[in-house]
Amino acid sequence: MFIKRVIVASALVLASHGLAQAQSCEKNFKVSGVPLVTAISYKTWQEFAKLKPEAALQRLAQGVAAEGFSGIKVDRSLGTVDAYQETTGSGRIQTLRVVARKRGAGTRVDAIFDIQAGQVTSKDIVRDGLCNIIRSATQ
C-alpha cells in the first residue's frame, strides 16, 4: 500500500512539474551554440488553453512588429510568423520564427531567434523579447 502511494505521489509531482514548466515562457527558455564561435539559437515556448492557433497568429505578428522586427511574413497554412532584424549595420540579419500549433483544446506557441556566428546579445533581453511576443498571442 505504501509503495502504491509513493508511486501515485511521484506521478503527481512529475505531472505538476511538467504543467508548471508548460505555463512559463521564461522557464522554457533555452540557448544553444557557442558565443562568437557558432550561431546561437534562442528558443522558448508556452501553451495557452482554449486558444485557437488561427486566432493567435495575427496577434503574434503584431507582437513581432512591436519588438522591432522587419520583413514580417505570416503563413496561415503553417501557422508561422517569420521575421528578421538587422541591428549591427553589417547587413548580417538575425532571424525569428514563431509557430502557433494546436495542442489539445489549446495552442502551443514556439519562438526561435537565431543570430549568426560572431554576433552577441544578452540572453536576458532575448528571453524578455521572445516572451513578450509569445504573450501577445492572448492580448
Side-chain angles (χ1 to χ4, degrees):
M1 186 71 159
F2 174 75
I3 291 179
K4 191 176 192 180
R5 285 186 186 156
V6 170
I7 291 171
V8 170
S10 296
L12 288 173
V13 168
L14 289 173
S16 68
H17 176 70
L19 182 59
Q21 240 186 348
Q23 293 181 1
S24 173
C25 175
E26 288 79 9
K27 286 185 180 178
N28 294 327
F29 184 75
K30 303 272 188 260
V31 181
S32 60
V34 180
L36 296 173
V37 178
T38 67
I40 306 291
S41 186
Y42 302 88
K43 299 177 182 182
T44 191
W45 58 274
Q46 186 169 345
E47 290 184 0
F48 299 96
K50 300 179 183 176
L51 175 66
K52 296 189 183 308
E54 304 80 23
L57 205 54
Q58 184 63 34
R59 291 188 293 254
L60 288 166
Q62 291 170 334
V64 168
E67 288 294 322
F69 284 84
S70 300
I72 299 168
K73 294 183 178 150
V74 178
D75 185 328
R76 295 193 189 292
S77 66
L78 293 177
T80 61
V81 178
D82 290 299
Y84 64 86
Q85 280 184 330
E86 198 291 306
T87 56
T88 63
S90 68
R92 299 176 68 210
I93 62 170
Q94 301 93 40
T95 60
L96 172 70
R97 171 165 280 191
V98 182
V99 181
R101 57 189 161 147
K102 187 165 180 55
R103 178 69 64 139
T107 296
R108 175 176 162 146
V109 178
D110 291 84
I112 303 117
F113 179 65
D114 294 317
I115 64 173
Q116 297 182 33
Q119 296 178 325
V120 293
T121 187
S122 162
K123 73 176 183 178
D124 294 335
I125 290 172
V126 173
R127 183 188 59 235
D128 291 347
L130 291 179
C131 290
N132 285 341
I133 290 168
I134 287 175
R135 279 190 289 276
S136 72
T138 62
Q139 298 171 351

